[in-house]
């Protein structure tokens, strides 16, 4: 794979006259230097490619031969025809992540269309109704984990409320030389297979595990380790930025004093990152493609499938390191912002592995001292043991309508809203950290109606068997989709009955996160990270008729069953 980002970036300043029109005009200044496709007709070919990183070459599934796939640059108000040709020997698909479009164009095999057979071309065509930073990826098999993803940026029809002089798109992802099916097999046989950072008896004795005997006993009872944070991690993954590993050091250029817009996309299969640029403050201006009131921070967490746009303004003639550290600190992606190619800045070492906390267990923020007293709060037959938080396989305490079979090994008795809390691994860093409640929609939200009904959906799992689902059922066992009346406004609460984070994504819609923020300005998202032991409430206007995927965006969780279909009816005419 060529170091094409660096090569193209190097010539950019001198080649302005040769750039296509979209790159020269407008107030937005210099645009991204990734291979870019634009215009009303775009041809994409899905195929096999070799991919080299860290001096080793593996097998990737790519679009037009590059990883990540080409940057698609569209304009709000245009019509786009995307012809996708499949040269694989298996079905493929492309889902346009975060885009509002007719459901037949959404690209989920078995839900919105049949998929794209080998040697077939499928033409997606739809009007572009929004602007912002998005991405696209396969929704077939585990192809996304092999490189089938790319960035998608839509420029606004009118003036961009975000002022900047130059931009770079940063596609964060994870790459393994192990085939994703093998990764999944290993997880099914042993969910802790990739975790080389578990606590140990020696670590308990010498204090390096930073936990008490009591905590260790509790985690042991849950058959969990406080460092079960990511199922797949740096023990097999190389973390990429724009398709380049840490040593290759993808570099984006700036001139000191410029306002640089970074469009950060987490296109990982399984990796949640904490992102920072030591020495530079970042002003968050957009989340999931929706503009937010500018908020300055030093580090933010980006879950799988989320996007964040930040503005940085480096004033010194020096390089800065962009760090995307896996939340379990088992590895990092690294890139550089610099005035000239070849400049580098210090790369900070990986920070100490964090431990999950009582709150991640659903312990509702109780301090450690009160734990013992809560141990006997309930005593249902069949419960492995009782705690105020996660309750292991306790049918009597399960919410109604929830299947408590082999697919559920715990139920969260005290889920709490954690949208205002610092995310995993960042609770005690000594700088500013973005939390969801910092996000405030720039424009007023369109639908101000109060919800007319409520719905609770549990995120469930059996961690020991690597089974995942909604309300105790994996997708293959689910007989009923989630039904919404067209245009109805529903308040949905997601309850995380597990001790892992789940980035939950709804296709075809944006939902309003109930953050308690300014009225009418709560943030709109297409993906929300539901923290371990936490709950998230959002208000949804079901205004897109059709059938839509609703799933955890950790690829292997989706594959293992955390997936359902959302059905919005009627398809035609006015809402009833
Ligand atoms: Cu999940």
């Amino acid at each position: 794979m060529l170091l094409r980002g660096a090569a193209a970036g190097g010539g950019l300043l001198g080649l302005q006259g040769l750039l296509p029109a979209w790159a020269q005009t407008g107030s937005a200044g210099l645009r991204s230097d990734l291979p870019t496709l634009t215009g009303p007709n775009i041809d994409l070919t899905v195929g096999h490619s070799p991919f080299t990183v860290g001096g080793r070459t593996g097998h990737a599934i790519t679009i037009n031969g590059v990883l990540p796939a080409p940057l698609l640059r569209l304009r709000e108000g245009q019509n786009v025809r995307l012809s996708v040709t499949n040269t694989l020997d298996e079905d493929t698909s492309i889902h346009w992540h975060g885009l509002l479009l007719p459901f037949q164009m959404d690209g989920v095999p078995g839900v919105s269309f049949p998929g794209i057979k080998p040697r077939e071309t499928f033409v997606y065509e739809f009007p572009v109704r929004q602007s912002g930073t998005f991405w696209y990826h396969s929704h077939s098999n585990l192809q996304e984990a092999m490189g089938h993803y790319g960035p998608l940026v839509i420029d606004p029809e009118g003036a961009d409320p975000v002022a900047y002089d130059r931009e770079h798109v940063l596609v964060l992802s994870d790459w393994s030389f192990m085939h994703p099916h093998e990764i999944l097999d290993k997880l099914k046989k042993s969910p802790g297979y990739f975790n080389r950072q578990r606590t140990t008896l020696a670590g308990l004795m010498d204090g390096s595990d930073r936990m008490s005997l009591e905590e260790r006993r509790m985690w042991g009872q849950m058959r969990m380790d406080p460092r079960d944070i990511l199922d797949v991690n740096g023990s097999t993954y190389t973390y990429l930025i724009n398709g380049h590993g840490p040593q290759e050091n993808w570099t984006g250029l700036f001139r000191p004093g410029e306002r640089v817009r970074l469009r950060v996309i987490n296109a990982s299969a399984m990796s949640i990152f904490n992102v920072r640029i030591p020495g530079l403050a970042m002003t968050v201006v957009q989340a999931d493609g929706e503009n937010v009131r500018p908020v300055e921070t030093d580090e933010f967490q980006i879950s799988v499938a989320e996007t964040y746009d930040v503005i940085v303004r480096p004033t010194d003639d020096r390089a800065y390191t962009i760090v995307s550290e896996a939340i379990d600190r088992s590895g990092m992606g690294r890139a550089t912002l610099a005035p000239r190619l070849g400049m580098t800045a210090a790369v900070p070492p990986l920070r100490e592995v964090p431990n999950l906390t009582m709150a991640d267990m659903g312990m509702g923020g109780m301090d450690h001292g009160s734990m013992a007293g809560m141990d006997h709060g309930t005593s249902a037959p069949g419960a492995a043991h009782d705690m105020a938080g996660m309750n292991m396989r306790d049918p009597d305490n399960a919410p109604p309508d929830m299947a408590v079979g082999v697919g559920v090994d715990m139920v969260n008795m005290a889920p709490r809203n954690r949208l205002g809390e610092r995310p995993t691994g960042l609770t005690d860093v000594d700088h500013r950290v973005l939390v969801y409640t910092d996000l405030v929609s720039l424009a007023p939200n369109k639908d101000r109606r109060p919800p007319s009904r409520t719905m609770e959906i549990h995120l469930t799992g059996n961690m020991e068997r690597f089974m995942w689902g909604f309300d105790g059922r994996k997708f293959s066992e689910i007989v009923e989709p989630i039904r919404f009346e067209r245009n109805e406004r529903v308040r949905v609460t997601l309850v995380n009955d597990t001790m892992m984070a789940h980035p939950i994504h709804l296709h075809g819609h944006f939902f309003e996160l109930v953050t308690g923020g300014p009225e009418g300005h709560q943030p709109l998202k297409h993906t929300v990270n539901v923290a371990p032991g936490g709950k998230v409430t959002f208000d949804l206007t079901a205004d897109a008729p059709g059938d839509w995927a609703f799933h955890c965006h950790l690829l292997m969780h989706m594959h293992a069953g955390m997936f359902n279909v959302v059905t919005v009816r009627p398809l035609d005419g006015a809402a009833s």
Side-chain angles (χ1 to χ4, degrees):
M1 185 120 313
L2 292 169
L3 286 165
R4 51 167 195 280
L12 199 60
L13 291 174
L15 288 173
Q16 270 205 62
L18 301 175
L19 288 173
W22 56 259
Q24 298 177 43
T25 56
S27 60
L30 291 171
R31 301 296 180 76
S32 176
D33 43 16
L34 294 173
T36 302
L37 299 171
T38 187
N41 292 292
I42 292 174
D43 293 327
L44 301 171
T45 301
V46 181
H48 298 282
S49 301
F51 175 70
T52 300
V53 66
R56 190 173 162 196
T57 299
H59 168 228
I61 293 179
T62 57
I63 295 174
N64 293 9
V66 291
L67 187 165
L71 169 62
L72 306 184
R73 185 127 213 154
L74 308 177
R75 183 168 288 276
E76 183 182 15
Q78 78 164 91
N79 215 69
V80 68
R81 273 172 62 92
L82 299 133
S83 305
V84 180
T85 300
N86 182 8
T87 69
L88 303 176
D89 47 14
E90 62 181 31
D91 286 16
T92 193
S93 56
I94 296 182
H95 164 59
W96 318 99
H97 186 104
L99 263 58
L100 304 172
L101 35 62
F103 79 96
Q104 300 90 339
M105 297 293 137
D106 192 51
V108 181
V111 177
S112 41
F113 83 139
I116 309 171
K117 303 270 174 258
R119 291 169 299 284
E120 268 186 15
T121 298
F122 181 84
V123 180
Y124 294 85
E125 184 166 11
F126 52 88
V128 179
R129 298 165 43 199
Q130 62 202 116
S131 64
T133 301
F134 304 95
W135 63 297
Y136 61 106
H137 61 83
S138 173
H139 231 288
S140 301
N141 208 337
L142 297 174
Q143 292 166 4
E144 191 193 322
M146 298 179 72
H148 185 319
Y149 51 80
L152 195 168
V153 173
I154 307 173
D155 292 306
E157 212 165 11
D160 196 324
V162 180
Y164 58 102
D165 304 302
R166 181 197 294 264
E167 71 164 48
H168 293 294
V169 174
L170 299 174
V171 180
L172 314 181
S173 64
D174 45 24
W175 171 265
S176 175
F177 289 97
M178 192 183 288
H179 193 285
H181 282 135
E182 194 182 338
I183 292 178
L184 188 55
D185 281 350
K186 285 191 164 26
L187 288 172
K188 283 182 170 165
K189 287 187 188 116
S190 168
Y193 181 86
F194 295 98
N195 190 351
R196 309 285 154 81
Q197 307 187 111
R198 289 191 147 188
T199 56
T200 60
L201 193 58
L204 176 74
M205 302 312 279
D206 68 18
S208 60
D209 280 348
R210 288 167 280 120
M211 66 193 300
S212 67
L213 191 61
E214 170 71 1
E215 284 171 306
R216 186 182 163 86
R217 182 185 68 79
M218 290 184 56
W219 285 104
Q221 281 182 334
M222 308 300 256
R223 297 192 292 274
M224 279 276 295
D225 188 275
R227 294 173 181 174
D228 286 333
I229 295 169
L230 293 170
D231 294 314
V232 191
N233 62 17
S235 67
T236 185
Y237 279 147
T238 301
Y239 297 110
L240 308 180
I241 298 183
N242 291 343
H244 297 288
Q247 298 92 341
E248 296 160 9
N249 188 27
W250 182 90
T251 298
L253 296 179
F254 70 87
R255 263 198 277 245
E258 280 181 330
R259 295 159 301 180
V260 182
R261 179 178 193 159
L262 303 175
R263 298 179 182 268
V264 188
I265 299 163
N266 189 352
S268 293
M270 292 296 286
S271 306
I272 305 172
F273 296 109
N274 292 323
V275 178
R276 70 196 199 274
I277 308 175
L280 274 187
M282 303 180 284
T283 302
V284 178
V285 293
Q286 195 178 92
D288 288 6
E290 289 284 326
N291 292 319
V292 295
R293 291 183 189 165
V295 53
E296 198 175 289
T297 193
D298 298 306
E299 187 160 14
F300 63 92
Q301 184 163 108
I302 183 167
S303 198
V304 176
E306 290 186 306
T307 74
Y308 282 99
D309 286 31
V310 302
I311 303 289
V312 295
R313 194 164 200 174
T315 51
D316 298 339
D317 186 55
R318 55 158 280 202
Y320 297 86
T321 297
I322 302 170
V323 178
S324 56
E325 190 180 53
I327 62 168
D328 71 345
R329 295 175 177 164
S330 59
M332 66 164 75
R334 171 242 186 165
T336 295
L337 281 179
R340 291 172 297 284
L341 284 179
M343 294 174 77
T344 58
V347 179
L350 287 169
R351 296 172 292 191
E352 203 169 37
V353 54
N355 288 337
L356 291 175
T357 64
M358 294 297 153
D360 300 313
M361 266 194 200
M363 296 309 287
M366 279 181 303
D367 67 322
H368 183 67
S370 63
M371 296 292 307
M374 299 307 294
D375 254 9
H376 307 286
T378 57
S379 59
H385 70 286
D386 308 307
M387 283 197 276
M390 294 293 178
N391 213 321
M392 301 197 65
R393 268 193 213 141
D394 181 351
D396 292 355
N397 278 313
D401 304 326
M402 185 153 125
V404 186
V406 72
V408 177
D409 64 0
M410 48 191 79
V411 175
N412 189 349
M413 301 310 291
R416 68 168 174 176
N417 178 344
R418 305 188 69 187
L419 293 178
E421 294 178 25
R422 288 182 166 206
T424 301
L426 298 180
T427 45
D428 44 20
V429 296
D430 57 4
H431 54 230
R432 292 167 296 180
V433 172
L434 187 79
V435 294
Y436 275 132
T437 49
D438 289 334
L439 300 175
V440 176
S441 262
L442 189 66
N445 296 332
K446 290 190 185 89
D447 192 349
R448 305 285 284 271
R449 294 174 297 163
S452 57
R453 92 182 150 108
T454 61
M455 176 183 288
E456 190 169 277
I457 298 171
H458 286 250
L459 319 181
T460 52
N462 182 328
M463 311 238 310
E464 275 194 298
R465 293 174 179 233
F466 205 72
M467 294 167 70
W468 302 97
F470 290 125
D471 293 332
R473 292 179 186 88
K474 56 185 182 190
F475 183 52
S476 57
E477 303 165 345
I478 290 175
V479 288
E480 271 295 296
I482 299 167
R483 297 179 187 281
F484 293 113
E485 194 78 19
R486 187 168 175 184
N487 288 324
E488 82 167 316
R489 186 132 169 105
V490 186
R491 173 159 292 187
V492 178
T493 297
L494 304 173
V495 177
N496 191 344
D497 282 340
T498 80
M499 285 182 271
M500 299 203 98
H502 301 282
I504 301 296
H505 172 47
L506 173 61
H507 289 218
H509 297 79
F510 281 75
F511 46 76
E512 182 181 329
L513 271 191
V514 178
T515 58
E519 202 195 328
H521 289 266
Q522 295 186 117
L524 298 170
K525 301 272 295 166
H526 53 54
T527 305
V528 63
N529 192 62
V530 187
K535 65 175 176 181
V536 166
T537 298
F538 62 75
D539 290 343
L540 171 72
T541 299
D543 57 3
D547 296 330
W548 303 99
F550 173 71
H551 61 93
C552 178
H553 222 289
L554 294 173
L555 185 64
M556 312 259 169
H557 287 193
M558 177 175 80
H559 214 73
M562 201 178 269
F563 183 99
N564 200 355
V565 175
V566 159
T567 294
V568 180
R569 292 291 188 272
L571 290 181
D572 301 307
S576 55

